[in-house]
Amino acid sequence: MPAFGEHHPAFEEYCECIFELDEDDVAVIQARIAERLQVSRPAVSEMIRRLESEGLITTDGAIRLTLTGQALAQLVVRRHRIAERFLTDMLGLSWADAHHEAGKWEHVMSDAVEQAMDRVLGRPTTCPHGNPIPGSSYLEPLLVPLSDVIVGNSFIVNRIPEELEFTPGLLDFLEEASIVPGRSGMLTAASPDGTMTIEIEGHHVGVGSFASARILVIA
């Protein structure tokens, strides 16, 4: 993987974004990158040209990470997710606060700190939201979207994809509603508009179509 500090934080941010969009099966196009990073499309176009000149991406028909870009992205994503784990498990921060703070830590964390945090945490395989930590021993179970669960059937929450982490207010809602990895629930109703009603931790919670199509569960 690229040595710490070798790449500008903006390059790291873009490679991370491209990696996570692809991980969530979201089309890796400039418009999606602009939305995720909350920057203008002209700014994205300029950065895409710079990333390509640095050998971090290719743009032949689609935006794809090169092997160098993939290695950089995995390094940044790994540090972000380990930091989230540390901030929630050890310091008690909320999901939303941990996600925000980890966005800073990922660019300044050294190899030694990363390895120490990983050791102290017991070599976790996922971030608090269930997304795999690159370089860990993660093995993905058979997962389906919450929206695919049949009314009356139970499920176990497994992953809250990165796409939902960037939806304002959603992480707070999911954490407060106990829709977190490892929790068991049951689908009690499904509306024609895609809204799902689930029973989890003794409470009935409505989950909109956008989130229910993306929350991954073991059914």
Side-chain angles (χ1 to χ4, degrees), residues 90-159:
M90 306 298 287
L91 303 186
L93 266 66
S94 70
W95 272 7
D97 287 344
H99 176 70
H100 177 71
E101 290 296 329
K104 305 172 188 175
W105 287 30
E106 67 190 28
H107 300 298
V108 298
M109 190 184 297
S110 67
D111 289 342
V113 170
E114 174 200 318
Q115 291 164 13
M117 289 172 65
D118 188 46
R119 183 182 67 254
V120 167
L121 290 166
R123 316 267 182 218
T125 60
T126 70
C127 74
H129 322 111
N131 296 305
I133 296 174
S136 72
S137 58
Y138 177 79
L139 293 174
E140 183 170 86
L142 181 60
L143 301 174
V144 298
L146 176 61
S147 57
D148 284 1
V149 177
I150 298 171
V151 173
N153 284 6
S154 59
F155 61 85
I156 300 172
V157 179
N158 186 267
R159 280 181 68 180

Side-chain angles (χ1 to χ4, degrees), residues 65-105:
L65 294 168
T66 63
L67 291 177
T68 302
Q70 184 80 3
L72 176 60
Q74 289 179 340
L75 175 66
V76 179
V77 171
R78 174 177 171 79
R79 289 177 174 173
H80 180 99
R81 294 178 181 176
I82 287 175
E84 284 185 319
R85 190 96 255 177
F86 184 84
L87 289 163
T88 56
D89 293 9
M90 306 298 287
L91 303 186
L93 266 66
S94 70
W95 272 7
D97 287 344
H99 176 70
H100 177 71
E101 290 296 329
K104 305 172 188 175
W105 287 30

